[in-house]
Amino acid sequence: MDKIKFIEKLKELDTNGKTTLDLYNEISLLAMKYGMQSAKPFNGKNAYYLSMEFLIGRSFYNNLLELGVLEETKCVLAEKGIDINVFEEIEDAALGNGGLGRLAACFLDSAAGLGLPLHGYGIRYKYGLFKQAIENGFQVELPDDWQRFGDPWSIRRDDEKRLIEFADMKVYAVPYDMPVFGKKINRLRLFQAEGSAEAEKISEYLYPADDTEDGKILRLRQEYFFSAAAVGELLEGFVGQHGKDFVKFPEFNVIQLNDTHPVIAIAEFIRLLTKKYGMDFADALILAKQTFAYTNHTILPEALECWNDDYVKKILPEIADIMIKIGEYAVHEFKELGCRKEQITDMAIYSEGRFYMANLAVYIAKTVNGVAALHTEILKNKLFSTAHKFYPHKLQNKTNGITHRRWLELCNKELSELLDKTIGRGWRVDITCLERFNDFTEETIDEFIQVKQTKKEQLLKYIAKAEGVKISADFLVFAQVKRLHEYKRQLMTAFAILEIYYAIKSGELRDFTPSVFIFGAKSAPAYKRAKAIIKFINEIAAKVNSDSQTNGKLKVVFVQNYNVSYAEKIVAGTDVSLQVSTAGLEASGTGNMKFMMNGAVTCGTMDGANIEIVEKAGKENNYIFGATVEELAKLKEEGYNPSSFLSNANHKKAVESLIDGTFSDGGSGEFKELYDSLTAGASWHEPDNYFVLYDLECYVNTLIKVCRDYSDKKLFAQKQLINIANSAYFSSDRTIKEYAKDIWKI
Ligand code: 26Q
């Protein structure tokens, strides 16, 4: 079927009496047929991306775009009286929860776009990330039954199912293949667990609650389940094609481990080579060292996986033995390299009954990469400093990127058309052409202002409908949308808004440009303080939005169920992107890049990829504030006393609103807990562990400066435009080319 035939078939489609869902499935299947005919296996070297998460978002529009038939489909449907936007009713596939999962999806898109053979392996969760509703200001979690729409973009492969064995159960891993369309058709293979009710639980939920032993074991089963399925079929496929001359395996395969979650694949690889194919342990270890590469996405201690050996021994005894043996080989090697005792402890894979998965990954991986320049420096100098000393060539930087197809072409048609008109269409294929946008004229700025206005109107109209909050399109739009976590400091934005609110109300702040703050975030269901922050923001929103004295100048909205599709609207309609994490803690951020590419300035800290963003677009075109990594290190050494900041009356009023009855937490006591976390400490954390109070004053001042600058609309738009013109570096096409050249050698 060629493109003409596809359009003919589409025209022939009888739409009478059909539901949106029927049409969605029929058109998708037709497009699959059209797209799949050019799919062919690639016999050279392939790269495989093992990830617990693939946050794909909506496939429909993106796939039609990649197949080059989006506009045509839109026209044919319009002739039949159907608006293509009706398919927005079909919800996202949210098989991930944040940056790490979305990055995996962007990488697959870019690799296919560039014609590079990169394939994904993951889990086909029955329920994706929960759907969030806000009730009475609190987050409520609802199951995400994404498969109820059908799954026309996947093909089930019963003939390729594999048996995965645990000590206490056997499970089938049934592949579902999703094509990734581009110059090349790559494959995302997601495994579904089948065989018994117990087995099915393995692929039921993304993130089983892991506060119980059962939950932890289930998570371990998930990790092994898909890792073993992937490694098993790669080895078997190799034998089928090349025989048992495994020395050649790395010439044809490279496996990228997306954080520590699939690191158990290394042990399974060695287990299969030794037990099934009879190879020596030492040889299998060498082969593993040539096959695996590892990406670290976070330095937060609570996210670095380590497994109690009793769990592993109980359900995967052979894997436990192998990991212990790898640990012994590692110690032997470290000693030969001249490591001291404490250095060996620091790099230990197995110690005092625990398996350290990051250390296992670092020891085996041929490359270890961070995801932004600063993050990689922190890996080299802190987290993996010992390994870096003894293996200086392992650590690399690969600054993240985003696919400009979804995050510009698809989500911002108006800006894309302006780009076509001013710099030509070349940027769609070669994003580096975007640089030409730096030669803008007065007229371009005016046209850009118009585009931003249109996208803002579309966004605010959608918000009015979805959230019931009306906001004038004359408002300056700030957005902080990302996972809810204390280190991302949504709480600091909440305090800053309160300070601004009181200053407007008292008349102290007169020249404040009318602004709206948009929040979007999901909190992990068991993360109490994060949930309290959501409630706090909603309390502030209720107060601020209903105050007729100020609501012509300030509004706050917390959008429900923030996801990829919501993000597509928000990044296009926002003026100012809030990226205010504690310096050193946001590995990279990728939302920051999406905003930049859509012409929002960054108001943020010197953290993650923000640093590279301002390097490319200029400090003068962005708003950087707050303590740097170095300052914070010094502060920690000297002793940080957050309570001293409460002598500032504005801070005091904002912070104490948590406990002085200004707001209600519904009697849950959670606001008091938040307050205590700032002043007294919480769990194992120091008071104000994330330096919210330390950076608050300069944050408020920076926000006020942004507002003042916005009064010169043209100058502000020029800053935004320069951000777009210099955002090409943050296309995942660039990132993927670097992985392909420096790591995968494909
Ligand atoms: C750990 C232990 C047990 C259970 C779950 C986890 C776990 C799960 C998910 C730990 C971390 C994650 C997700 C991390 C993540 O999304 N990191 C983000 O990765 C992005 C892509 O590199 C970066 O841009 C972000 O800075 C980083 O926060």
Side-chain angles (χ1 to χ4, degrees):
M1 192 190 327
D2 58 8
K3 187 166 167 176
I4 296 174
K5 190 91 202 200
F6 169 79
I7 295 165
E8 259 172 36
K9 290 250 177 210
L10 200 62
K11 283 185 176 160
E12 285 166 17
L13 194 80
D14 180 10
T15 57
N16 280 330
K18 291 202 176 134
T19 63
T20 305
L21 197 57
D22 294 336
L23 288 175
Y24 162 73
N25 278 293
E26 284 183 33
I27 299 170
S28 302
L29 286 175
L30 192 61
M32 271 289 261
K33 233 183 187 171
Y34 165 57
M36 284 305 285
Q37 62 198 347
S38 47
K40 48 181 181 288
F42 174 68
N43 291 325
K45 185 174 185 181
N46 286 280
Y48 299 93
Y49 203 78
L50 265 58
S51 178
M52 284 284 272
E53 304 185 22
F54 286 91
L55 190 45
I56 315 170
R58 231 179 235 134
S59 293
F60 186 80
Y61 303 108
N62 197 64
N63 280 347
L64 294 180
L65 176 78
E66 303 280 359
L67 290 169
V69 295
L70 180 60
E71 277 310 303
E72 290 81 352
T73 306
K74 187 176 165 185
C75 292
V76 174
L77 289 175
E79 281 165 21
K80 294 171 184 282
I82 296 166
D83 179 350
I84 195 164
N85 294 321
V86 294
F87 299 111
E88 292 206 4
E89 193 181 287
I90 312 301
E91 288 163 13
D92 292 30
L95 308 185
N97 92 124
L100 167 149
R102 184 53 233 175
L103 185 75
C106 283
F107 279 5
L108 291 185
D109 184 274
S110 277
L114 293 166
L116 290 166
L118 171 71
H119 311 279
Y121 276 118
I123 298 178
R124 185 172 189 261
Y125 302 101
K126 180 160 175 25
Y127 299 102
L129 185 63
F130 65 86
K131 285 210 297 188
Q132 178 198 55
I134 301 293
E135 282 175 20
N136 193 22
F138 292 103
Q139 166 173 297
V140 177
E141 298 110 30
L142 308 162
D144 168 43
D145 182 14
W146 65 281
Q147 291 173 24
R148 75 183 187 282
F149 300 104
D151 183 13
W153 300 103
S154 292
I155 304 166
R156 183 181 161 104
R157 297 272 188 219
D158 273 300
D159 52 324
E160 292 187 48
K161 73 178 178 193
R162 311 183 63 76
L163 193 64
I164 306 298
E165 296 188 44
F166 296 91
D168 54 351
M169 70 196 289
K170 291 184 166 68
V171 182
Y172 279 111
V174 184
Y176 280 73
D177 291 346
M178 295 179 105
V180 187
F181 299 113
K183 193 188 280 178
K184 209 175 158 317
I185 300 176
N186 289 332
R187 185 182 79 184
L188 168 58
R189 173 163 276 198
L190 300 177
F191 294 105
Q192 176 163 294
E194 294 184 11
S196 65
E198 275 304 299
E200 284 172 18
K201 276 192 191 154
I202 292 177
S203 60
E204 192 166 13
Y205 287 104
L206 168 78
Y207 290 116
D210 62 356
D211 45 357
T212 61
E213 178 172 317
D214 280 354
K216 286 196 176 73
I217 288 184
L218 183 53
R219 167 101 186 162
L220 181 59
R221 283 196 208 277
Q222 291 186 325
E223 295 187 354
Y224 180 72
F225 165 74
F226 91 99
S227 301
V231 166
E233 72 169 37
L234 288 179
L235 282 172
E236 219 171 85
F238 176 83
V239 173
Q241 277 205 320
H242 306 277
K244 291 188 184 160
D245 186 10
F246 288 109
V247 180
K248 282 197 191 141
F249 185 82
E251 286 172 33
F252 292 96
N253 303 278
V254 51
I255 299 176
Q256 189 71 38
L257 301 168
N258 199 25
D259 218 287
T260 51
H261 320 150
V263 164
I264 205 158
I266 294 171
E268 176 66 3
F269 182 79
I270 294 176
R271 190 187 75 84
L272 286 173
L273 285 174
T274 51
K275 300 247 156 98
K276 182 172 172 187
Y277 298 109
M279 190 182 269
D280 275 355
F281 190 90
D283 293 336
L285 192 78
I286 291 171
L287 219 51
K289 286 182 174 186
Q290 296 166 342
T291 299
F292 289 92
Y294 159 64
T295 308
N296 172 282
H297 295 267
T298 179
I299 63 155
L300 292 185
E302 61 268 36
L304 292 174
E305 285 186 305
C306 56
W307 288 108
N308 282 343
D309 63 357
D310 42 350
Y311 295 162
V312 189
K313 283 176 181 164
K314 187 165 147 191
I315 64 167
L316 296 164
E318 290 184 20
I319 291 293
D321 287 347
I322 285 171
M323 292 203 291
I324 292 170
K325 206 160 167 188
I326 300 174
E328 288 163 2
Y329 269 73
V331 169
H332 183 75
E333 189 176 313
F334 297 157
K335 280 186 183 156
E336 287 205 326
L337 286 170
C339 298
R340 293 191 310 269
K341 201 168 163 224
E342 67 276 15
Q343 291 173 321
I344 294 176
T345 309
D346 189 40
M347 293 191 288
I349 291 169
Y350 180 58
S351 163
E352 294 180 6
R354 293 165 82 79
F355 293 108
Y356 292 85
M357 302 310 275
N359 282 350
L360 169 57
V362 172
Y363 172 61
I364 293 290
K366 57 179 184 149
T367 62
V368 175
N369 73 283
V371 290
L374 173 71
H375 173 230
T376 302
E377 285 311 300
I378 293 172
L379 294 185
K380 285 181 182 172
N381 301 323
K382 285 182 85 173
L383 196 63
F384 301 140
S385 60
T386 310
H388 182 51
K389 193 160 173 196
F390 291 97
Y391 303 95
H393 302 296
K394 269 197 190 192
L395 271 132
Q396 297 194 1
N397 179 242
K398 293 285 166 283
T399 298
N400 283 166
I402 53 161
T403 166
H404 64 272
R405 284 164 291 274
R406 184 179 288 265
W407 297 109
L408 176 53
E409 277 194 81
L410 194 64
C411 77
N412 204 334
K413 192 163 166 275
E414 294 81 352
L415 178 55
S416 299
E417 283 166 3
L418 176 60
L419 288 169
D420 290 347
K421 196 177 123 185
T422 47
I423 62 170
R425 287 180 64 90
W427 65 273
R428 292 178 187 256
V429 183
D430 175 8
I431 189 70
T432 61
C433 297
L434 216 51
E435 263 172 49
R436 296 188 201 143
F437 206 43
N438 274 309
D439 302 323
F440 52 87
T441 60
E442 280 283 303
E443 196 192 331
T444 317
I445 295 180
D446 288 337
E447 287 176 314
F448 171 68
I449 290 175
Q450 201 42 57
V451 166
K452 192 46 108 183
Q453 191 61 25
T454 306
K455 297 314 284 181
K456 198 184 278 190
E457 281 163 14
Q458 290 170 5
L459 169 64
L460 297 178
K461 196 170 149 198
Y462 184 82
I463 288 180
K465 197 169 142 225
E467 320 299 340
V469 181
K470 285 206 175 103
I471 299 147
S472 154
D474 296 332
F475 273 38
L476 173 59
V477 177
F478 291 85
Q480 186 171 15
V481 289
K482 47 186 75 259
R483 283 183 292 143
L484 210 132
H485 201 291
E486 288 165 284
Y487 85 81
K488 294 180 185 277
R489 298 200 293 191
Q490 285 98 343
L491 182 60
M492 187 168 75
T493 309
F495 289 147
I497 293 170
L498 266 182
E499 291 198 17
I500 288 171
Y501 165 69
Y502 289 127
I504 297 173
K505 204 168 163 68
S506 69
E508 201 183 312
L509 181 59
R510 289 170 195 283
D511 59 344
F512 188 75
T513 309
S515 298
V516 57
F517 286 83
I518 299 174
F519 290 91
K522 289 181 183 176
S523 157
Y527 189 175
K528 277 170 79 180
R529 285 194 298 281
K531 289 180 126 172
I533 293 169
I534 294 180
K535 172 67 175 163
F536 185 54
I537 292 169
N538 280 311
E539 283 289 301
I540 294 172
K543 187 179 183 70
V544 169
N545 295 352
S546 63
D547 188 335
S548 57
Q549 209 187 332
T550 60
N551 64 14
K553 287 209 159 170
L554 183 64
K555 285 223 167 145
V556 178
V557 57
F558 190 102
V559 304
Q560 302 176 79
N561 201 36
Y562 172 65
N563 60 10
V564 173
S565 294
Y566 223 136
E568 289 169 15
K569 297 180 165 67
I570 294 172
V571 297
T574 292
D575 293 303
V576 187
S577 146
L578 298 175
Q579 308 295 339
V580 301
S581 49
T582 312
L585 296 186
E586 187 68 271
S588 161
T590 44
N592 46 5
M593 303 169 183
K594 293 161 198 162
F595 281 107
M596 179 198 198
M597 203 174 267
N598 282 275
V601 298
T602 297
C603 171
T605 47
M606 283 300 252
D607 197 18
N610 295 353
I611 296 172
E612 289 156 82
I613 286 178
V614 297
E615 212 174 86
K616 303 281 175 208
K619 264 199 163 164
E620 66 286 4
N621 297 310
N622 289 288
Y623 295 85
I624 295 300
F625 70 92
T628 59
V629 171
E630 294 75 23
E631 273 173 76
L632 291 181
K634 199 158 156 251
L635 191 63
K636 276 184 209 162
E637 221 178 274
E638 291 166 352
Y640 168 51
N641 172 22
S643 296
S644 67
F645 288 90
L646 295 180
S647 57
N648 172 315
N650 297 332
H651 295 349
K652 189 175 160 73
K653 189 165 182 186
V655 174
E656 291 193 347
S657 74
L658 280 168
I659 50 162
D660 65 8
T662 309
F663 299 115
S664 163
D665 61 7
S668 63
E670 56 192 45
F671 285 178
K672 170 76 166 62
E673 273 182 50
L674 263 189
Y675 178 84
D676 287 345
S677 76
L678 294 171
T679 54
S683 320
W684 66 94
H685 286 165
E686 296 291 310
D688 193 13
N689 196 42
Y690 299 102
F691 302 94
V692 167
L693 299 179
Y694 190 81
D695 279 341
L696 183 55
E697 185 171 1
C698 50
Y699 189 20
V700 174
N701 292 336
T702 307
L703 290 172
I704 293 174
K705 177 165 170 38
V706 173
C707 283
R708 296 215 166 106
D709 285 3
Y710 188 71
S711 56
D712 186 341
K713 256 195 150 175
K714 283 210 175 181
L715 196 61
F716 200 85
Q718 182 174 315
K719 291 178 199 280
Q720 294 182 317
L721 197 151
I722 292 172
N723 272 281
I724 301 170
N726 294 288
S727 66
Y729 182 76
F730 302 102
S731 164
S732 44
D733 285 9
R734 186 268 314 153
T735 316
I736 281 296
K737 280 185 195 159
E738 289 181 8
Y739 275 84
K741 177 168 160 281
D742 303 336
I743 301 179
W744 303 333
K745 320 278 181 199
I746 54 169

